Amino acid sequence: MLKKILKILNKYNSFHILTHKAPDGDALGSSFGLCHAIQTIGKKSQVICEIPEKFMFLCENTKNQIVHHPEIIICVDLPDEKLVWPKEKYKNLDVCIDHHAANKNYAKITYNNPKAAANTENVYELIKLMNIKIDSVIADCIYTGIVTDTGRFKFSNVTSRTFQITSEILPKISNFEFINRTIFDNRSKNYLMIESEVVKNCEFYFDDKCVLLIISRDLMSKFNVKDEEISELTSIPMKISNVQTGVIIKEKEKNSYKVSIRTSNKSANKICQEFYGGGHDNAAAFEISGNLTEVKKRILKVIKIFIVSKN
Ligand SMILES: [Mn+2]
């Protein structure tokens, strides 16, 4: 399938690259890495997305080409057409390169490899097929996807291929320490405040095997933090020993929530599918409406089924 995608890249001349809203390091690394590679073979390519402050370094070295009438639309790290951003503008989705087991197969041509820890691993394979030199822009993009989607090589999605690709691109990475510190450090004072508030109010269930965090709109406006900063809070539950399931409930608007599930027992995708969401084995999400007490009850009822007890 990658060869089919390569043919499309060679045949057509102008591309838009799309990814999901609130893009993470893998979504952006996949987008800008591929965009830069396409520009390198002399074609026109533009990434359509909002870029969170901390990932600005990824796009700074890619030519900002404006492509008015793209012949081909490519979606990366995007499992479901419902998540396309901006949704209204794009109807015909030609190519999809992804690594979500729950990919909905919405594009005309899909390369989906759920074994890849990060989708930038898939983009890397494609770039290798394109037979272009891996430069620092591409290396930075591929690495950013890998280091973020593996939680710094911590999650069970890491394979020997993950390390192999990393070792191949490492000599080309522009500034290794700068990238890591930019992504994982440099927190604002307000972020620290909201984190302490969220931790202080977290709830434990099922013999402390499940931790639930709530991020309300009130809290967010009180500390004036952006959505992109909040995403970091999803890593808190799994830092606690014996926790199998982390639930992070973020209030979008009154009685409407985005719920992120993190697990150590590969049940995240299954839990989220119960609520028509999805993602990966150990990290997935869904949206839900209702009042908070009801919402919590419904979620915990499903989680209970997946909690593994030793006795
Ligand atoms: Mn990803």
Side-chain angles (χ1 to χ4, degrees):
M1 209 42 100
L2 272 182
K3 286 217 173 103
K4 242 184 173 174
I5 296 174
L6 178 69
K7 264 193 192 156
I8 288 176
L9 297 185
N10 286 330
K11 185 173 171 193
Y12 295 92
N13 289 306
S14 58
F15 303 84
H16 271 188
I17 299 171
L18 312 181
T19 189
H20 51 84
K21 54 183 176 183
D24 53 22
D26 189 35
L28 294 164
S30 297
S31 301
F32 285 100
L34 182 59
C35 180
H36 182 75
I38 293 173
Q39 290 177 356
T40 305
I41 58 169
K43 315 261 174 142
K44 288 211 158 74
S45 178
Q46 183 183 7
V47 178
I48 309 293
C49 73
E50 285 176 323
I51 306 159
E53 187 79 40
K54 67 175 172 182
F55 290 117
M56 271 315 206
F57 71 93
L58 282 179
C59 67
E60 272 159 9
N61 296 318
T62 304
K63 244 190 286 165
N64 189 12
Q65 276 177 340
I66 307 294
V67 181
H68 288 294
H69 301 289
E71 295 163 281
I72 296 292
I73 308 297
I74 306 176
C75 301
V76 291
D77 200 40
L78 187 49
D80 190 331
E81 60 189 318
K82 279 193 293 200
L83 302 171
V84 168
W85 187 94
K87 214 193 294 183
E88 322 72 51
K89 259 185 82 181
Y90 294 93
K91 296 281 172 284
N92 277 332
L93 305 168
D94 302 297
V95 175
C96 172
I97 305 166
D98 191 23
H99 71 137
H100 290 85
N103 185 290
K104 295 258 163 66
N105 229 334
Y106 56 86
K108 284 176 208 148
I109 296 172
T110 297
Y111 175 74
N112 186 32
N113 172 19
K115 286 202 185 104
N119 192 48
T120 56
E121 290 184 18
N122 296 330
V123 170
Y124 179 76
E125 306 292 354
L126 177 62
I127 290 174
K128 293 267 275 197
L129 280 181
M130 290 167 79
N131 221 354
I132 51 174
K133 251 176 81 194
I134 304 294
D135 60 14
S136 67
V137 178
I138 291 170
D140 288 359
C141 286
I142 304 299
Y143 177 71
T144 297
I146 289 175
V147 79
T148 52
D149 262 24
T150 61
R152 288 181 256 190
F153 303 93
K154 184 168 67 180
F155 301 147
S156 58
N157 57 1
V158 170
T159 65
S160 54
R161 188 76 187 121
T162 311
F163 283 110
Q164 206 175 1
I165 292 171
T166 306
S167 86
E168 281 171 28
I169 59 173
L170 191 62
K172 299 284 180 193
I173 291 174
S174 63
N175 188 336
F176 188 72
E177 184 174 340
F178 166 81
I179 293 177
N180 289 312
R181 289 188 56 88
T182 304
I183 299 172
F184 297 109
D185 300 337
N186 300 328
R187 295 284 162 264
S188 68
K189 183 176 156 195
N190 283 349
Y191 171 77
L192 208 71
M193 297 299 164
I194 196 168
E195 186 187 70
S196 71
E197 204 63 30
V198 166
V199 169
K200 201 169 78 191
N201 294 312
C202 73
E203 300 169 17
F204 287 85
Y205 296 94
F206 313 127
D207 290 330
D208 298 349
K209 289 189 182 103
C210 172
V211 181
L212 190 145
L213 308 180
I214 295 161
I215 307 162
S216 64
R217 294 306 318 172
D218 280 353
L219 209 57
M220 283 184 70
S221 51
K222 182 177 167 193
F223 293 109
N224 188 28
V225 285
K226 293 185 203 127
D227 275 298
E228 62 193 70
E229 277 191 284
I230 296 303
S231 68
E232 189 72 19
L233 297 172
T234 54
S235 66
I236 292 172
M238 302 319 288
K239 290 178 182 169
I240 305 161
S241 58
N242 298 321
V243 165
Q244 291 177 8
T245 311
V247 184
I248 302 90
I249 302 181
K250 195 181 101 181
E251 186 184 17
K252 283 172 43 184
E253 48 201 80
K254 195 167 164 41
N255 288 339
S256 166
Y257 305 90
K258 176 176 180 197
V259 182
S260 302
I261 301 288
R262 297 291 181 269
T263 63
S264 59
N265 59 14
K266 302 202 167 184
S267 60
N269 192 30
K270 289 178 203 141
I271 292 167
C272 292
Q273 277 172 353
E274 294 289 322
F275 300 96
Y276 307 104
H280 303 290
D281 286 349
N282 283 332
F286 61 91
E287 294 188 353
I288 190 168
S289 346
N291 81 51
L292 188 58
T293 319
E294 273 308 306
V295 163
K296 275 203 288 197
K297 239 194 223 162
R298 284 172 62 194
I299 298 169
L300 289 169
K301 200 174 154 193
V302 172
I303 286 173
K304 197 176 176 191
I305 304 165
F306 292 98
I307 291 282
V308 183
S309 56
K310 279 204 180 107
N311 35 15

